Amino acid sequence: MAFMGDMMNPAPLWQNGPSPGAFYNFPGNSSSFGHINHTAQDFKAHSANPITTTTTVIGLKFDKGCVIAGDTLGSYGSLARFRDCPRVLKVNDLILLGSGGDYADYQYLKDIIEQKIIDEQCIGDGLHLKPRSLHCWLTRVLYNKRSKMDPLWNNYIVAGIQDGEPFLGTVDKLGTAYEDSTIATGLGAYMATPLLRNALDKGPLDEESAKALVRKCMEVLFYRDARSFPRYQLGVVTAAGVTVEEPVELKHDWSLAHMIHMK
């Protein structure tokens, strides 16, 4: 019965187990029991929160193309820290990209997308990235990062011309994606979406009407969203190509806030 050990003086139930607050000493671990010295290289930190953030980006489809707009403010928490953060990007002659959320994550993906376009041009086979392809690729990338518990903290709007027809789609940081005629991220999903949908219910829009409507939404958001900014960028994509305008300053008038006494 030697294999049963000393029944009168049995060994502890969890021999070599951890003391309270200590790590378990696995077999083969060279560390002494209860004293495992970890260095900074032993840990990998994932981003738990965005740092420099941007707010709403708006996308609207009209009869011959799409419009995207977003302001240029990068907020450091509640501080309006960086005031020149453009986030409406011309990808190629068919695609326009807008981003909201963590600005560093946007810059990371922007570099990758721009390199994809350079590689495409170097091949020189006459084929070009299309908006639906970029939308699908972003969905896979963002879902992959989210599955690794290390998300890219962004919402993207992809606008473009797909086989002669306007395309407008969005992807969020979880990889959730859909297509629609009107898309707004951030607080704009609550403030701007009703304005955009009400206008489309009255019939198709032309380019000038669509741009005027998006400008109006940017004005409403400036009055209502504490993380917005009066300086914004607007981009248009049609079959003729992509145009990203220089940032413009919103002409705001706080006299409409008649219940607020400004000093």
Side-chain angles (χ1 to χ4, degrees), residues 47 105 142 145-146 148-154 173-174:
S47 56
D105 286 347
L142 292 169
K145 290 288 286 182
R146 168 257 195 183
K148 293 178 178 178
M149 302 298 173
D150 187 21
L152 294 171
W153 216 283
N154 294 110
K173 67 178 182 294
L174 302 179

Side-chain angles (χ1 to χ4, degrees), residues 84-98:
D84 188 19
C85 295
R87 51 200 176 92
V88 178
L89 171 69
K90 176 184 176 180
V91 177
N92 60 20
D93 290 334
L94 296 172
I95 306 172
L96 194 57
L97 180 69

Side-chain angles (χ1 to χ4, degrees), residues 69-214:
D71 65 34
T72 61
L73 179 67
S75 299
Y76 191 79
S78 59
L79 174 67
R81 177 65 182 85
F82 305 102
R83 304 188 178 194
D84 188 19
C85 295
R87 51 200 176 92
V88 178
L89 171 69
K90 176 184 176 180
V91 177
N92 60 20
D93 290 334
L94 296 172
I95 306 172
L96 194 57
L97 180 69
S99 169
D102 189 87
Y103 199 70
D105 286 347
Y106 161 67
Q107 290 176 313
Y108 167 74
L109 265 190
K110 173 177 172 284
D111 289 345
I112 294 175
I113 292 169
E114 288 177 339
Q115 186 59 51
K116 285 170 69 71
I117 300 302
I118 291 170
D119 294 344
E120 187 178 78
Q121 292 170 344
C122 290
I123 293 171
D125 56 4
L127 299 176
H128 301 286
L129 183 67
K130 293 184 178 180
R132 197 180 298 276
S133 301
L134 179 61
H135 183 247
C136 180
W137 179 82
L138 282 171
T139 304
R140 298 299 91 218
V141 169
L142 292 169
Y143 183 76
N144 177 265
K145 290 288 286 182
R146 168 257 195 183
S147 298
K148 293 178 178 178
M149 302 298 173
D150 187 21
L152 294 171
W153 216 283
N154 294 110
N155 292 328
Y156 289 95
I157 293 182
V158 180
I161 302 298
Q162 178 79 32
D163 302 326
E165 295 296 322
F167 172 90
L168 189 66
T170 182
V171 191
D172 71 5
K173 67 178 182 294
L174 302 179
T176 304
Y178 63 90
E179 301 170 25
D180 203 351
S181 298
T182 65
I183 296 172
T185 69
L187 197 63
Y190 306 97
M191 295 288 181
T193 302
L195 300 175
L196 298 170
R197 288 179 177 170
N198 287 341
L200 281 182
D201 286 343
K202 298 174 183 177
L205 300 173
D206 59 19
E207 181 176 338
E208 290 305 315
S209 299
K211 289 166 71 172
L213 178 58
V214 169

